[in-house]
Amino acid sequence: MRYGPTALAILLAGCGPSAERFSGGAGTVFDVSENAFGFPLATLEPSRREAFFAGNSLFRANWVIAPASAAGRDGLGPLFNAASCSACHFKDGRGRAPEPGEPFVGLLLRIGARDGAPHPVYGDQIQTHAVPGVPPEAVPAVSYEDVPGRYGDGTPYSLRRPVYRLERPGYGPLEEDGLRVSPRLAPAVIGMGLLEAIPERRILERADPGDADGDGISGRPNRATDLRTGRSALGRFGWKAGRPTVEEQVAAAFQGDMGVTSPLFPRENHTSAQRAPAGLPSGGEPEIDGEKLGFVTLYVRLLAVPGRRAPDDPRVRRGRRHFEAACASCHTPRWETGDVPGFPELSRQTIFPYTDLLLHDMGRDLEDGRPEFEAEGREWRTPPLWGIGLADRVGGGRASYLHDGRARTPAEAILWHGGEGASAREYFRALPASEREALLAFLRDL
Amino acid sequence: MSRKTAGLAAAAILAAAAAWTAAGPPRRWDSALARPVILRYADHLHAAYADATDRAAALREEIRAFVRRPSLEGLESCKAAWVRARPAYLETEIARFSGGPIDRSPDGPETFINAWPVDESYIDSVDGRPFSGIINDPAGFPSIDEAALRRAHGAGGETHVTTGWHAIEFLLWGQDRSPGPGGGARPFTEFADRGTLPNAPRRRAYLELCADLLVRDLSWVRDQWAPVRPGNYRETFLSLPVEEALSRILTGVGTMAVGELRGERLAAPFTLKDKEEEHSCFSDTTHLDHLHNALGVRRVWEIGVGELARRIDPRLAADVARALEDAIEALRSPDLEPFDQAILGEDDRPGRRAILRALGALDRFNRAFSRLADRLGLPVTTRLP
């Protein structure tokens, strides 16, 4: 069951724009510098200060090749995409898509067969770096094709469609028939604990897998096995909602992206068919221990969301009305978090993340053809939009958008919406320039 | 607050509502009291950046002499000049986080001056990787020049640091390979032709360029605070509404003392007990970094913020001052040298006890300082609640 537009309007009417100033609940921070994503929740429990800053330090730290004098952080590789979390999540913000000829930093490539099965030799992700003596899996390259279009008023625009190549494969044939490549841009890591705290049943209430209400929007939950409990759980994190908890998302990134094993993922990220990486020194078993993984997880859970700057600005308010009309059925504005035992700063907060955490068919143009648990090739999880107005500032003026960063601006991201998002795209395309600008001003205020 | 301005100011205005409701309406105070304090702060920062620039220039002179004729004495003189120069810069760090020239977006040079942590292997060879780094990559970096280093800075992530204090420190001291006390021990012969490492001319050029850029970046910040320079930051700053200028001052001081010093520089290493947590790990002078950060806070208090606070609420002002003095006293403890050893072991060891004293004092500072900001009716975020 999902709320129709009328119900939504009533829902929103209860809290005017001013109430939305606190995007991330009581712990919202008000900083608009390039450090805007780096603050703990303003309500952080004092007893957690040390752990938060320990996590902050490990998030920035470069992991090194084992064995090393820095025994606390060795175990990088043998295969890896980056040596630190912050390499891709620069200042806790999002990655940027590479320009042609640039190395891939902050954008990684998942691979697999059409049925989602990993490649028998290369596994499920292309690691672009390796320790000395070990070949990297491949050197990815991107080029972009221009895709011209016009707004309803005739104003032309130009989008770019990425085309990926995997050059210099290190372990034999790679780009065989049927190999699917799924690019994934590093997202900003703010507000993750709050998203984790939304009760599962509330999210499921909004799901409409068969589009029973006939509004053209399905909204399907992804499900995965929670590695801690062994039980099936709602997937919330990642571009296809493949991970149910922040801890798992963090540990999966340590393993898949940095080659650092942890209690949750005790195996290295290469397959048994890759002989060169096997048999190298390990940085311990596991390479990041439970305590340190806990610090990083806590850090990511408690990073605050920046507040709105000018929700009462007339243009921003106009943009908000367009957003409600066209976008809010998937980018759900408002949620209440549940009770998180031991974490009052995450519990019972009214938050404005602008996501339903569900999967939606986004059309052929965005299809990767590679399923992930319940998610099909055209399905992507609605990404949260909070903080999106500061993405450029945090990212040094060069943020990119969508799962592969093909969109250079939020407007381009809207124009790529297809499938269930097509009606929102058409709504935006048909607006007069001043109203398009109002919608974008609203997004910039998030 | 009567008018909206860009950047931090806008955030400050928004946060004001929260501060006012949390603490009730601020006690009435005469903003004319603050004008002279704001002016003295601007003068102080100009002098502090001038001092930092001069000392960096002295370091550059030593480095120039050394790269012309590498010698053991020359390298030791460079290291001594680095240690002499660094405190002056650390005492200016209270001006970060406040929309000032040092770290304002997009042209603030802070990242080029003091980025940390440093991935040493991005700059030069390290243990087990004899050909790593820009210095050993003539194909990728045919010329070691300003444009190349600025472009490569941060290119592959936050730790891809090419310039600044810690890059120079790494080049002078070398990697800290010792399991126990002691920093790096780079022999001067790594800079000498037919010496002990390849690419010595490039290593010399890199070191000298870093020293040049440090002086250039610091003098740019100094000039932004210089009197009578139309269009510079000082002019903007002095024309801000009193409440806003004061709020910037307090935000910088509070964030430096609490978020940076207490959080990132003391609490993280204390919790992780990892040598790699040391900021100035090559030279083993991290204890001085902490002390001079705290002394920088005291300087701002002394030039008038303290006096202003006493007029508003003498008891709170005394609490702030006492907490700050306690923190400084704890940070002066000889048990904190070297810092990478002080963080090890159980909490009853002298080093860890001293850090705990400093953490506690800075917590008291944070509480009193935040209450004081509330009393002034000023929105101030210190990065810690």
Side-chain angles (χ1 to χ4, degrees):
Chain A
M1 150 92 220
R2 85 182 6 268
Y3 297 99
T6 330
L8 251 179
I10 292 165
L11 207 80
L12 284 162
C15 49
S18 305
E20 293 168 18
R21 187 163 271 166
F22 287 79
S23 312
T28 301
V29 295
F30 292 89
D31 182 292
V32 294
S33 74
E34 61 273 24
N35 296 313
F37 293 170
F39 290 81
L41 290 170
T43 46
L44 181 79
E45 289 282 298
S47 62
R48 279 193 256 279
R49 287 173 181 170
E50 275 67 18
F52 178 87
F53 282 104
N56 184 17
S57 186
L58 290 169
F59 194 88
R60 290 203 304 191
N62 260 21
W63 288 73
V64 297
I65 299 159
S69 59
R73 51 184 69 162
D74 70 350
L76 178 70
L79 302 174
F80 59 98
N81 295 91
S84 66
C85 308
S86 65
C88 299
H89 305 278
F90 187 73
K91 290 189 176 290
D92 310 298
R94 55 177 58 218
R96 186 178 62 85
E99 295 300 318
E102 280 186 346
F104 279 45
V105 181
L107 179 72
L108 58 79
L109 301 178
R110 296 267 171 81
I111 54 168
R114 196 165 47 189
D115 63 358
H119 190 285
V121 176
Y122 287 86
D124 65 0
Q125 181 169 318
I126 294 297
Q127 280 92 16
T128 52
H129 292 76
V131 302
V134 173
E137 290 193 317
V139 179
V142 66
S143 54
Y144 294 98
E145 294 169 354
D146 283 332
V147 181
R150 278 182 191 280
Y151 287 108
D153 62 9
T155 312
Y157 56 75
S158 179
L159 307 177
R160 58 172 194 176
R161 181 197 311 279
V163 179
Y164 299 101
R165 289 182 315 285
L166 290 166
E167 292 166 353
R168 286 186 268 161
Y171 299 86
L174 170 57
E175 285 194 272
E176 300 150 341
D177 277 357
L179 181 81
R180 305 300 160 123
V181 174
S182 180
R184 307 289 177 95
L185 192 76
V189 292
I190 52 174
M192 303 264 287
L194 292 165
L195 294 177
E196 193 180 39
I198 300 172
E200 180 169 326
R201 67 193 154 82
R202 294 275 172 236
I203 295 167
L204 295 179
E205 276 167 17
R206 301 211 170 194
D208 181 14
D211 190 18
D213 64 3
D215 67 350
I217 294 179
S218 60
R220 297 200 313 134
N222 204 348
R223 296 205 75 80
T225 304
D226 182 324
L227 295 177
R228 279 274 177 212
T229 63
R231 286 203 294 269
S232 169
L234 173 74
R236 295 171 192 249
F237 302 109
W239 284 100
K240 296 223 179 208
R243 298 284 170 204
T245 63
V246 174
E247 183 191 37
E248 221 177 285
Q249 182 70 24
V250 168
F254 264 108
Q255 184 217 30
D257 308 349
M258 294 190 278
V260 175
T261 61
S262 65
L264 278 186
F265 293 93
R267 294 175 42 148
E268 292 286 0
N269 60 25
H270 53 82
T271 65
S272 52
Q274 290 172 304
R275 245 175 282 156
L280 287 167
S282 159
E285 286 181 0
E287 290 164 336
I288 180 170
D289 63 26
E291 186 187 33
K292 289 198 173 89
L293 182 66
F295 290 146
V296 181
T297 304
L298 183 108
Y299 172 71
V300 173
R301 288 178 88 190
L302 299 177
L303 273 176
V305 176
R308 302 270 302 273
R309 276 75 67 202
D312 296 318
D313 176 273
R315 191 168 62 155
V316 169
R317 293 181 73 132
R318 260 185 12 249
R320 177 172 170 274
R321 283 198 292 276
H322 291 304
F323 187 89
E324 280 161 31
C327 320
S329 50
C330 299
H331 288 283
T332 312
R334 181 174 184 269
W335 290 95
E336 304 277 343
T337 66
D339 274 309
V340 185
F343 283 85
E345 58 274 64
L346 297 173
S347 300
R348 273 171 287 157
Q349 299 295 311
T350 301
I351 58 173
F352 296 87
Y354 301 93
T355 172
D356 58 4
L357 296 176
L358 295 171
L359 301 169
H360 297 274
D361 180 337
M362 289 299 287
R364 261 180 83 174
D365 278 329
L366 298 181
E367 175 177 15
D368 67 353
R370 178 185 174 276
E372 184 172 326
F373 302 113
E374 307 279 316
E376 290 168 5
R378 291 186 186 181
E379 286 184 315
W380 299 94
R381 182 205 64 163
T382 313
L385 299 180
W386 53 13
I388 199 168
L390 293 166
D392 235 17
R393 174 71 57 86
V394 173
R398 300 192 300 174
S400 42
Y401 306 87
L402 291 178
H403 65 277
D404 55 11
R406 68 174 72 187
R408 290 158 291 197
T409 59
E412 290 189 11
I414 299 170
L415 292 167
W416 276 112
H417 278 49
E420 296 173 38
S423 60
R425 178 196 67 215
E426 288 309 308
Y427 181 101
F428 178 65
R429 273 191 61 229
L431 287 176
S434 63
E435 296 311 291
R436 294 198 302 269
E437 197 36 54
L439 179 65
L440 297 173
F442 167 74
L443 293 177
R444 278 196 301 274
D445 193 53
L446 295 184
Chain B
M1 307 236 161
S2 54
R3 89 192 158 86
K4 291 196 177 184
T5 48
L8 270 171
I13 287 161
L14 294 178
W20 283 47
T21 47
R27 180 187 282 198
R28 289 173 61 85
W29 59 284
D30 181 1
S31 63
L33 283 176
R35 270 281 162 223
V37 178
I38 292 163
L39 189 62
R40 282 206 294 280
Y41 173 85
D43 288 343
H44 165 62
L45 277 188
H46 179 237
Y49 280 116
D51 189 23
T53 310
D54 290 348
R55 283 169 188 268
L59 167 64
R60 180 179 61 181
E61 291 320 301
E62 293 293 347
I63 285 174
R64 280 181 176 163
F66 171 65
V67 297
R68 272 199 301 276
R69 248 188 102 184
S71 68
L72 177 62
E73 298 71 35
L75 182 58
E76 292 307 316
S77 301
C78 291
K79 289 164 148 179
W82 188 95
V83 175
R84 274 197 306 275
R86 186 142 165 88
Y89 178 72
L90 288 157
E91 294 188 19
T92 68
E93 285 205 289
I94 45 88
R96 293 174 59 195
F97 312 107
S98 43
I102 181 67
D103 58 358
R104 74 181 178 199
S105 182
D107 60 347
E110 199 274 337
T111 177
F112 291 112
I113 292 174
N114 201 34
W116 183 93
V118 176
D119 178 354
E120 304 105 293
S121 69
Y122 192 62
I123 297 174
D124 199 356
S125 55
V126 294
D127 239 4
R129 298 178 66 187
F131 302 107
S132 72
I134 292 170
I135 287 173
N136 299 303
D137 184 12
F141 294 86
S143 158
I144 291 182
D145 55 31
E146 173 173 4
L149 293 199
R150 301 252 195 234
R151 200 168 46 241
H153 185 81
E158 274 187 71
T159 57
H160 281 185
V161 172
T162 59
T163 63
W165 288 108
H166 295 300
I168 297 173
E169 185 196 6
F170 166 58
L171 287 168
L172 293 178
W173 272 269
Q175 269 185 297
D176 178 8
R177 297 196 188 90
S178 57
R186 187 191 290 278
F188 82 91
T189 49
E190 297 189 357
F191 290 94
D193 292 329
R194 292 175 303 282
T196 48
L197 268 189
N199 292 313
R202 289 173 61 88
R203 192 166 292 104
R204 295 196 297 267
Y206 196 111
L207 176 61
E208 186 173 357
L209 177 58
C210 278
D212 270 341
L213 295 179
L214 181 65
V215 174
R216 211 176 306 171
D217 287 341
L218 283 170
S219 54
W220 180 84
V221 183
R222 175 199 61 200
D223 293 346
Q224 288 294 316
W225 284 104
V228 214
R229 293 222 183 188
N232 73 356
Y233 179 75
R234 176 192 172 100
E235 195 178 73
T236 312
F237 179 73
L238 293 179
S239 65
L240 292 171
V242 167
E243 293 85 349
E244 192 185 316
L246 208 53
S247 151
R248 289 190 187 199
I249 296 173
L250 296 187
T251 299
V253 169
T255 308
M256 193 58 227
V258 180
E260 277 292 306
L261 178 56
R262 190 207 178 279
E264 296 207 11
R265 299 184 182 187
L266 292 170
F270 179 83
T271 309
L272 292 169
K273 302 186 182 181
D274 186 342
K275 260 177 104 67
E276 298 292 305
E277 288 295 325
E278 249 204 322
H279 279 229
S280 298
C281 64
F282 311 115
S283 63
D284 243 351
T285 57
T286 307
H287 58 293
L288 295 175
D289 292 0
H290 301 152
L291 176 62
H292 286 281
N293 278 159
L295 292 175
V297 175
R298 182 160 78 184
R299 282 293 292 143
V300 177
W301 193 254
E302 286 170 348
I303 58 150
V305 173
E307 177 55 29
L308 183 65
R310 278 190 291 278
R311 298 234 188 172
I312 303 298
D313 190 329
R315 262 185 60 193
L316 259 185
D319 287 349
V320 172
R322 197 175 315 115
L324 184 58
E325 288 313 308
D326 289 349
I328 289 170
E329 198 202 319
L331 293 172
R332 279 193 201 279
S333 162
D335 298 323
L336 289 177
E337 182 189 358
F339 189 69
D340 62 348
Q341 302 303 301
I343 57 179
L344 301 178
E346 300 300 321
D347 286 357
D348 58 0
R349 286 195 59 243
R352 288 185 68 86
R353 277 186 11 223
I355 298 171
L356 277 170
R357 279 205 308 280
L359 293 176
L362 289 170
D363 276 341
R364 280 187 280 125
F365 173 85
N366 183 33
R367 279 196 298 275
F369 191 77
S370 304
R371 284 219 307 280
L372 184 66
D374 283 349
R375 293 301 298 272
L376 288 161
L378 296 174
V380 173
T381 312
T382 58
R383 213 162 165 234
L384 268 186

